[in-house]
Amino acid sequence: MGNRAQIVSGEAKGAEGVVLGHHGGSEHVMIDFPREVKEKLTYDDKIIIRARGQGLKLLDYPDIALFNLDPDLLEKMKLVKSGKKVLEVPVTTLVPAACMGSGLGSAARSQWRLRYHDQRPDTVQEYGLDKIRFGDFVALLDHDNRFGRAFRKGAISIGVVVHSDCKLAGHGPGVTTLMTCATPSSSR
């Protein structure tokens, strides 16, 4: 997320956009371009993504793993060091593990996406899931996404909301993982 993308063919050639996340299953990379650029795009146009951030680490927080994150976006996230072992990440919503579904248990990190599955009106309202928006940073509680998608008490993953929900059970809003930590002492 945050990587720059450039169109290299077609009528919109040369225009630039920014990566917003991934949509698992279809394995699409989601890129935002200005409206006037989108109106010129066709399905045959080629896009190059200037990928940065592979292997990015927080040297002061070795227990926190980073994924899908451009270094420039990391700097803009307004992280707060709170003591030697705690890093605070501003999020709009805390999502309990019980609300997460599609993608959980997957050994593949390549999808980089989880979906809320509990869409009951009382649950949605109780946890404020009805107030999330595209681009919101959310905390997935008790989720360790270092080596796949696993429930782990005390772990936390930070992600960004990349797609909306639908009326089918198990297909709630999608979240692309950006950060994860398995140890409660380093996550907050």
Side-chain angles (χ1 to χ4, degrees), residues 66-122:
L66 304 178
F67 309 101
N68 304 306
L69 190 55
D70 184 284
D72 291 338
L73 179 59
L74 178 65
E75 286 187 26
K76 295 175 184 174
M77 289 178 67
K78 299 180 183 173
L79 306 177
V80 176
K81 292 182 178 185
S82 180
K84 272 190 153 181
K85 294 200 173 218
V86 177
L87 184 65
E88 293 180 1
V89 181
V91 297
T92 63
T93 310
L94 301 176
V95 183
C99 293
M100 297 305 297
S102 179
L104 186 59
S106 172
R109 288 190 332 194
S110 62
Q111 289 187 336
W112 300 115
R113 187 261 309 133
L114 286 163
R115 289 189 219 166
Y116 304 167
H117 75 101
D118 191 340
Q119 296 291 58
R120 293 174 298 167
D122 58 331

Side-chain angles (χ1 to χ4, degrees), residues 20-167:
L20 300 178
H22 297 96
H23 185 285
S26 60
E27 306 309 328
H28 291 151
V29 175
M30 299 161 69
I31 303 171
D32 185 38
F33 291 102
R35 179 178 295 279
E36 61 274 8
V37 172
K38 287 187 247 186
E39 291 174 356
K40 296 176 184 177
L41 285 172
T42 70
Y43 289 107
D44 296 329
D45 291 337
K46 306 286 186 247
I47 301 171
I48 290 180
I49 297 172
R50 308 287 180 200
R52 296 179 58 228
Q54 181 72 24
L56 186 63
K57 295 179 188 284
L58 298 172
L59 298 178
D60 293 340
Y61 301 92
D63 293 340
I64 298 174
L66 304 178
F67 309 101
N68 304 306
L69 190 55
D70 184 284
D72 291 338
L73 179 59
L74 178 65
E75 286 187 26
K76 295 175 184 174
M77 289 178 67
K78 299 180 183 173
L79 306 177
V80 176
K81 292 182 178 185
S82 180
K84 272 190 153 181
K85 294 200 173 218
V86 177
L87 184 65
E88 293 180 1
V89 181
V91 297
T92 63
T93 310
L94 301 176
V95 183
C99 293
M100 297 305 297
S102 179
L104 186 59
S106 172
R109 288 190 332 194
S110 62
Q111 289 187 336
W112 300 115
R113 187 261 309 133
L114 286 163
R115 289 189 219 166
Y116 304 167
H117 75 101
D118 191 340
Q119 296 291 58
R120 293 174 298 167
D122 58 331
T123 303
V124 168
Q125 188 173 17
E126 178 181 354
Y127 296 111
L129 303 179
D130 55 336
K131 297 189 178 19
I132 63 164
R133 299 169 299 174
F134 293 124
D136 278 357
F137 294 108
V138 297
L140 309 177
L141 306 178
D142 300 322
H143 270 266
D144 176 6
N145 293 339
R146 293 172 303 149
F147 305 107
R149 311 260 178 238
F151 172 83
R152 181 183 299 258
K153 193 73 173 157
I156 192 166
S157 291
I158 305 296
V160 62
V161 177
V162 296
H163 69 76
S164 184
D165 61 350
C166 77
K167 301 211 182 276

Side-chain angles (χ1 to χ4, degrees), residues 169-181:
H171 292 278
V175 178
T176 296
T177 302
L178 302 176
M179 310 171 91
T180 193
C181 184

